[in-house]
Amino acid sequence: MSLKDDLWIWGQTAGTHHAHNNNSWKLPGENKMETLEGAKFLGTPNIIRVAMAGSPTPPFDDEAELFKDQPKVVWSVVGDASTERTNTGGTDTAAVIDISRKYKNIIGGIMDDIFVKDRLENYTPEIIEACAKELHDANLELWSVIYEYNMEMDVASRLAPCDAITLWTWKGDQLINLEQTYENLKKLMLPHHKVYAGCYFWDYGNRRPLPMGLMKYQLEVYRKWYDEGKIEGIIMLSNCTADIGLETVDYVRQWIAEL
């Protein structure tokens, strides 16, 4: 396996990023590219399909059929914070297990936004452990999202049942601290944890374009981490910003093509 085989796209329904709070992230252009098209456009073989603003809704069979030829797929069991059905401790675990019985490339479920303030008390260690057990009984993994600013929160017990941690930096100017962020994460990790690095094309936290210098730097660090065995792969976010004219997207496409 090479890094090119271990690239993922963070897939969400086209237009949902622009629609979020009336485009509060100040994204340019118009997004029409859906998840599978984005994966092919970028050259990322594997897919993480995450519900945003409630979309998609169970059952997931029709979209899982679209992804049947991708090597690996992970599906959200807890969608983003605007997905109301998974705001108060509920999950889409049963629906993900259902599609995994037919589509063997589905290897797990991921929890998004469980460490945001309004959700933390609802996704207790016990609920997360129960979710992990359901997935493990179906031979699936449980993945979680964590941001650099979550490290000081009470998250260790919630990460413990997970098989993989996806690490994200919300504010672009904090990317210069990536090495320290990884050291902070190590304090929360257990021996069984795998780590994937998340890569934004846009500075969502500061609501502005991500400087090219920071884009290049994060990819350099992630490539080094991958070569050193610190991470299992890189997740590109996302199809929702892949077709809106960002310079960072052009750079990432070329970077992937040259791997």
Side-chain angles (χ1 to χ4, degrees), residues 25 149 169-173 200 202-208:
W25 292 318
Y149 61 85
T169 302
W170 183 241
K171 290 191 174 183
D173 49 9
Y200 286 112
W202 181 261
D203 186 348
Y204 285 83
N206 290 311
R207 304 179 183 187
R208 64 190 183 193

Side-chain angles (χ1 to χ4, degrees), residues 139-150:
N139 295 315
L140 300 174
E141 297 179 341
L142 177 61
W143 293 25
S144 180
V145 167
I146 192 169
Y147 291 94
E148 88 286 354
Y149 61 85
N150 296 141

Side-chain angles (χ1 to χ4, degrees), residues 45-103:
N46 307 298
I47 287 174
I48 300 176
R49 181 63 171 105
V50 179
M52 183 167 185
S55 175
T57 57
F60 301 129
D61 301 70
D62 289 347
E63 195 160 5
E65 174 70 16
L66 296 178
F67 303 152
K68 65 182 180 181
D69 295 325
Q70 306 310 116
K72 297 178 183 178
V73 179
V74 169
W75 211 283
S76 65
V77 292
V78 177
D80 88 306
S82 66
T83 299
E84 293 183 4
R85 69 176 181 271
T86 56
N87 266 349
T88 56
T91 75
D92 287 336
T93 306
V96 173
I97 291 172
D98 277 347
I99 55 174
S100 75
R101 294 190 178 107
K102 179 178 180 181
Y103 300 98

Side-chain angles (χ1 to χ4, degrees), residues 161-178:
C162 300
D163 302 285
I165 301 170
T166 68
L167 177 62
W168 300 87
T169 302
W170 183 241
K171 290 191 174 183
D173 49 9
Q174 294 302 307
L175 287 167
I176 60 172
N177 300 318
L178 277 175

